[in-house]
Amino acid sequence: MDHMDHTAHQAGASGAREQEHGAHDHAHHDHAGRASWGTAAKATAHCLTGCAIGEILGMVIGTALVWSNVPTMVLAIALAFLFGYSFTLYAVRRAGLSLKAAIRVALAADTVSIAIMELVDNLIIALTPGALDAHLSDGLFWSALLGGFAVAFLITTPVNKWMIGRGKGHAVAHAYH
C-alpha cells in the first residue's frame, strides 16, 4: 500500500473535503512524513499523461497551422497545463467536490509537477539540434519529444515524492481517491 502524510494538507483543500464528505479515514496512510517511490511514480505518470496529451496536441495544431516555433511551443505548454489539470479536476469532481474546490485541489496538486515537466521537456526539445525544425513525420521530432518526457519523468518523480511526503502536491488530490 502506498504511504503518504496527509496531516499537512492545505487548510482550504482539506476543509473543503471535510465539509463536502465528512472526515476522511486516514488509517491506511503513514503519517510519518514519508511517501513511497511507487506513489510518486504513479502521481508523476498521471500528471505526465495529461501533459503529454496537451503538448503533443499543441505541436500537431501548431504544425498544421504552419506556426513558427514560439507560438507552437506556447500553445503546447498551455494545453499541457490544461490537460494536466483536467485529469485531476475530473478525478476530484467524481469524488464529489464542487468545481471551485476541485480547481483549488488541481492547482495545488499539479502546478509544480507540470511546471517542472514542461520546463525539462521543452528545454530538451529546444537544445536537441534540429528538433525544433523537425516535422511531425520525422523521427527526430518524436525522439526529442519522447526523450524529453522520459527525462522530465525522472526529474519530477523525486520532487513529487518529496512534496507528497510533506502533504503537498499530489498528496492534496490523493485524499479524494
Side-chain angles (χ1 to χ4, degrees):
M1 173 116 3
D2 295 330
H3 300 287
M4 63 183 63
D5 178 9
H6 291 290
T7 60
H9 284 183
Q10 294 177 344
S14 62
R17 170 72 169 133
E18 290 174 5
Q19 287 175 356
E20 293 186 18
H21 290 287
H24 181 70
D25 177 16
H26 290 277
H28 66 282
H29 298 293
D30 178 1
H31 292 279
R34 295 185 318 246
S36 73
W37 283 105
T39 297
K42 286 178 192 174
T44 305
H46 177 268
C47 196
L48 182 61
T49 301
C51 288
I53 290 169
E55 187 152 341
I56 291 168
L57 184 60
M59 296 287 188
V60 169
I61 291 170
T63 300
L65 296 175
V66 195
W67 288 358
S68 65
N69 292 332
V70 172
T72 298
M73 287 181 86
V74 168
L75 176 63
I77 292 167
L79 289 176
F81 273 92
L82 178 70
F83 278 86
Y85 288 140
S86 294
F87 277 32
T88 299
L89 276 171
Y90 177 76
V92 297
R93 289 281 291 147
R94 283 188 62 207
L97 260 67
S98 69
L99 181 59
K100 184 177 179 180
I103 289 170
R104 282 195 309 257
V105 168
L107 291 172
D110 295 332
T111 300
V112 171
S113 185
I114 295 170
I116 292 169
M117 281 190 256
E118 286 305 298
L119 176 66
V120 170
D121 181 52
N122 283 284
L123 270 174
I124 289 173
I125 292 169
L127 296 175
T128 300
L132 287 175
D133 296 322
H135 297 282
L136 295 175
S137 60
D138 294 338
L140 178 60
F141 169 81
W142 291 103
S143 62
L145 184 64
L146 297 177
F149 289 152
V151 173
F153 178 86
L154 293 174
I155 291 173
T156 307
T157 300
V159 174
N160 281 335
K161 183 181 184 307
W162 181 82
M163 290 177 62
I164 291 167
R166 283 148 187 78
K168 303 201 179 300
H170 289 274
V172 177
H174 182 79
Y176 305 99
H177 295 280

